[in-house]
Amino acid sequence: MKSLRIAKSLLKSRSFWALLLLSAVVLYRFVDEYHKVQGEKIQSWTKTPTADCAVVLTGGAGRVREGFDLLANQNVKKLVISGVYSNARLREIMPVWPFYGSLSENDVVLDRRSETTYGNAQQSLPIVEALKCRDILLVTSRLHMYRSYQTFRATFPENIYIEKHAIIGGRLESSVWESGFEALKSFFYSLWAY
């Protein structure tokens, strides 16, 4: 009987309904972010883009290699690798450099200050502007692309065109756990970064 009265009291409480509404909104937004993360397409196999610069976000398999391939194939003129360990040297990052032929180290810029996707965007902007890039290829994994693109688009001025260049970062399909975690990060980024 007492628990029935408590339940009735809760149902009449404004704070209960406010909490229920807030929970529903958060759940809806999370599911929406999950679908957006899952909806990103892989571009690296489907087209051969060109741009003034490529910005590669470190942190996943194949990203840096894709950036060097774009530079070696002359799809881009300059390569910015964002999020490099502070003491890393170019030849350590890309040990197969000698096999790329006539690439110039002057065409590669290492950003050693970024530690997050937001930092990647903030630190890459002055580099891209100094290189006078009018358009960039944003290189990261398919799973990371939605949050990365939204963050870069919110940071970069409209006159710099950003084209997505998503690659496979390990497996073709991400697990529900990986996608859910990325959706959670994207949800929190959407509250303050874009």
Side-chain angles (χ1 to χ4, degrees), residues 31-47:
V31 170
D32 185 51
E33 292 296 316
Y34 182 88
H35 289 296
K36 288 175 180 174
V37 166
Q38 285 292 92
E40 286 295 331
K41 305 289 184 228
I42 298 167
Q43 290 90 8
S44 65
W45 292 354
T46 59
K47 57 183 174 178

Side-chain angles (χ1 to χ4, degrees), residues 8-94:
K8 284 182 180 180
S9 174
L10 264 177
L11 290 174
K12 291 180 181 177
S13 167
R14 285 184 181 174
S15 58
F16 170 78
W17 290 107
L19 183 60
L20 186 64
L21 179 63
L22 179 63
S23 298
V25 168
V26 168
L27 180 62
Y28 173 79
R29 288 289 315 277
F30 173 78
V31 170
D32 185 51
E33 292 296 316
Y34 182 88
H35 289 296
K36 288 175 180 174
V37 166
Q38 285 292 92
E40 286 295 331
K41 305 289 184 228
I42 298 167
Q43 290 90 8
S44 65
W45 292 354
T46 59
K47 57 183 174 178
T48 309
T50 59
D52 291 334
C53 299
V55 177
V56 176
L57 308 185
T58 60
R63 297 178 189 182
V64 172
R65 177 80 179 247
E66 183 73 17
F68 275 94
D69 288 347
L70 290 166
L71 185 61
N73 293 329
Q74 299 178 347
N75 298 93
V76 296
K77 298 171 190 148
K78 300 289 183 181
L79 178 62
V80 179
I81 305 174
S82 184
V84 174
Y85 177 67
S86 61
N87 295 328
R89 293 186 306 236
L90 184 58
R91 303 283 174 149
E92 294 170 335
I93 295 168
M94 197 60 180

Side-chain angles (χ1 to χ4, degrees), residues 131-144:
L131 294 172
K132 296 182 175 36
C133 301
R134 294 165 299 182
D135 51 359
I136 67 165
L137 296 177
L138 182 60
V139 181
T140 190
S141 67
R142 182 190 70 83
L143 186 66
H144 187 226

Side-chain angles (χ1 to χ4, degrees), residues 125 128-129 133-136 153 156-162:
L125 178 58
V128 166
E129 289 177 331
C133 301
R134 294 165 299 182
D135 51 359
I136 67 165
R153 191 65 283 158
F156 276 51
E158 288 296 320
N159 66 330
I160 298 176
Y161 177 73
I162 302 171

